Amino acid sequence: MTAPPRSLQKHRMATPSDPCPWSGLLSPAERERGLLAPYAMHSADSAGRRYPEPEHPYRGSYQRDRDRILHSAAYRRLSGKTQVFTGEMGDYHRTRLTHTLEVASLARTIGRALRLNEDLIEALALLHDIGHPPFGHAGEDALNACLAAEGGFSHNRHALTLVEEIEHRHESFPGLNLTAEVLAGQASRAGLDPLGPGPLLETQVVDAADSITYDAHDTDDAVKLGLVRIEELLALPLIDRCFQTVRQRAGDLSGERLRKAIVHELIDVQVGNVLEASGEFLARCNWSDTSAPRQSAFRIGPDPALTAEKRQLEEFLYAHVYRHERLVAVRGHAQEKLRQLWATLVDNPCLMPADFQQRAQQHGLPRSAAEYVAGMTDRYCQQCYQEWVAG
Ligand code: MG
């Protein structure tokens, strides 16, 4: 049997400082005790970090994790990465970074209302898409095909590799040395859960917020880009419901104002539904720690009726937006460039920075080249293609 990935190994306990050694300040543990529900993940109960570090006097473990992610190169590069629509299509639509910030904002709203740990939620949200290659899911599919014989490529797994191995913040260990809970949350997105059978409620909130966010902003971007018309979307019960609410509130709107009002309503109706469905359950459950929710089949999310309506919207977006001929063409070109760039790097590893050449010794050249390409922004990827492949 092979050894489990490093994210799955046992983490050492950390000792949170309590009370705060600086007079007049509350320690994170004290503040959380006053604010969070018993079923929330309290930073004082963290399983700690792989490489033990002293506690910070006024920032809790998850605040530190958030800051480490925020200051990482991979996070900054999200500003130059495609969410769904590429830079050639305009500058209104979301990038991978603005998508991430919208997820973090909604997830914190939901988490605060449910008295969960907002710091952990924010860290998980900022991390959740950090492993995305350039050109969105098209880029991921291309790299996955390149690595078909090597176990494939997944952006969720790559996020873990980034924060555990590739990023460096300290001279004495690789990675960002994040807490076990943040690594576990991301591992559960990647289909792994190192700490037990189910994800923490904070992880569930980020998953719910991700879904709310992309359903709303892909609708908004698709209409703004002219890929679909509002009138077509009104055939969907969820969008029609939002339209009726807008009409009752604001009368007959049209054009940009109608699109914005419907998208606003689309976020509001989803967040309200998740809070109603989850808040009532959590208030009744009498859970006194994090173990019960992790054993339970309960998941924070929309109720069954809204889940079905969201699925209809997603099917519509898949058929009419993600498969739109304009996007299919852009996606095809991007995938071909990624494939050729990867093949060029495999043939000429000296084009890669020294640390990726070094990773090739341990992880093989195909994977190391894919990891290097995955870290690129759309623009840098185009530039490297021009220089190394087309030039
Ligand atoms: Mg996302």
Side-chain angles (χ1 to χ4, degrees):
M1 204 171 126
T2 53
R6 294 207 297 127
S7 60
L8 303 186
Q9 293 168 11
K10 184 79 184 149
H11 293 257
R12 287 192 224 168
M13 290 293 284
T15 313
S17 56
D18 185 14
C20 181
W22 294 16
S23 65
L25 298 183
L26 278 183
S27 75
E30 288 170 317
R31 193 172 53 243
E32 287 176 8
R33 267 202 301 276
L35 289 172
L36 303 188
Y39 46 72
M41 183 68 220
H42 291 237
S43 59
D45 298 328
S46 170
R49 306 179 188 279
R50 175 178 311 283
Y51 306 97
E53 297 180 43
E55 289 298 314
H56 192 274
Y58 54 85
R59 286 185 306 155
S61 304
Y62 306 133
Q63 284 177 281
R64 295 173 83 183
D65 283 359
R66 175 204 58 201
D67 295 344
R68 288 171 190 198
I69 296 161
L70 191 71
H71 289 279
S72 69
Y75 174 81
R76 282 194 301 283
R77 291 191 184 119
L78 295 177
S79 68
K81 292 190 177 193
T82 291
Q83 173 66 22
V84 173
F85 309 103
T86 61
E88 299 149 42
M89 301 177 82
D91 59 6
Y92 174 84
H93 57 261
R94 276 70 178 174
T95 65
R96 190 64 61 180
L97 180 64
T98 63
H99 159 76
T100 295
L101 293 171
E102 289 184 34
V103 173
S105 166
L106 280 188
R108 286 185 55 182
T109 297
I110 296 169
R112 185 182 298 187
L114 298 178
R115 294 169 60 216
L116 297 173
N117 194 321
E118 269 184 75
D119 294 328
L120 174 56
I121 285 171
E122 191 176 14
L124 288 166
L126 296 188
L127 176 63
H128 89 282
D129 269 351
I130 209 171
H132 255 295
F135 303 112
H137 286 285
E140 178 173 33
D141 292 345
L143 291 182
N144 191 37
C146 292
L147 294 185
E150 323 276 335
F153 178 90
S154 138
H155 78 272
N156 282 322
R157 284 300 295 263
H158 186 56
L160 286 171
T161 306
L162 277 168
V163 298
E164 292 190 286
E165 299 174 23
I166 294 177
E167 289 281 340
H168 280 270
R169 72 166 299 277
H170 200 277
E171 61 282 358
S172 58
F173 49 75
L176 304 181
N177 201 27
L178 302 176
T179 58
E181 292 72 33
V182 170
L183 293 176
Q186 184 59 32
S188 86
R189 291 183 71 85
L192 307 162
D193 188 1
L195 293 187
L200 289 166
L201 293 169
E202 283 80 359
T203 300
Q204 297 177 31
V205 165
V206 175
D207 287 345
D210 193 22
S211 167
I212 293 170
T213 305
Y214 60 65
D215 279 354
H217 69 43
D218 288 353
T219 301
D220 187 36
D221 290 347
V223 175
K224 174 71 181 176
L225 285 169
L227 302 179
V228 291
R229 290 178 302 116
I230 286 269
E231 292 71 24
E232 296 173 74
L233 285 158
L234 291 178
L236 298 163
L238 176 56
I239 303 295
D240 185 54
R241 197 144 57 85
C242 294
F243 173 68
Q244 299 304 340
T245 309
V246 166
R247 195 157 66 170
Q248 272 175 12
R249 190 185 66 224
D252 286 328
L253 300 180
S254 61
E256 295 261 307
R257 293 180 71 194
L258 178 61
R259 170 175 54 80
K260 288 177 185 174
I262 285 181
V263 171
H264 177 156
E265 192 57 34
L266 185 54
I267 295 173
D268 211 39
V269 80
Q270 292 183 86
V271 172
N273 182 280
V274 167
L275 286 178
E276 229 181 301
S278 310
E280 195 187 331
F281 179 89
L282 290 172
R284 281 189 285 110
C285 69
N286 285 323
W287 285 338
S288 58
D289 57 28
T290 58
S291 62
R294 305 196 63 209
Q295 303 295 330
S296 165
F298 167 79
R299 290 288 177 273
I300 292 174
D303 66 19
L306 184 61
T307 300
E309 288 180 337
K310 276 168 66 68
R311 195 174 308 124
Q312 289 174 322
L313 171 61
E314 287 163 11
E315 283 167 5
F316 179 93
L317 291 172
Y318 185 84
H320 300 278
V321 177
Y322 309 140
R323 295 282 140 202
H324 192 283
E325 58 179 14
R326 275 173 69 192
L327 239 67
V328 170
V330 168
R331 195 182 291 139
H333 292 141
Q335 288 187 320
E336 191 47 37
K337 282 180 185 171
L338 273 184
R339 267 193 292 272
Q340 290 188 35
L341 181 56
W342 172 81
T344 301
L345 291 171
V346 170
D347 289 342
N348 305 276
C350 59
L351 292 170
M352 297 196 294
D355 45 346
F356 284 92
Q357 292 183 40
Q358 222 165 26
R359 283 184 66 76
Q361 312 283 326
Q362 201 186 342
H363 302 281
L365 189 47
R367 181 158 301 278
S368 169
E371 288 172 346
Y372 178 48
V373 172
M376 295 178 178
T377 59
D378 295 0
R379 193 183 56 183
Y380 188 63
C381 182
Q382 303 266 25
Q383 195 182 315
C384 291
Y385 173 84
Q386 285 304 327
E387 207 172 308
W388 298 333
V389 183

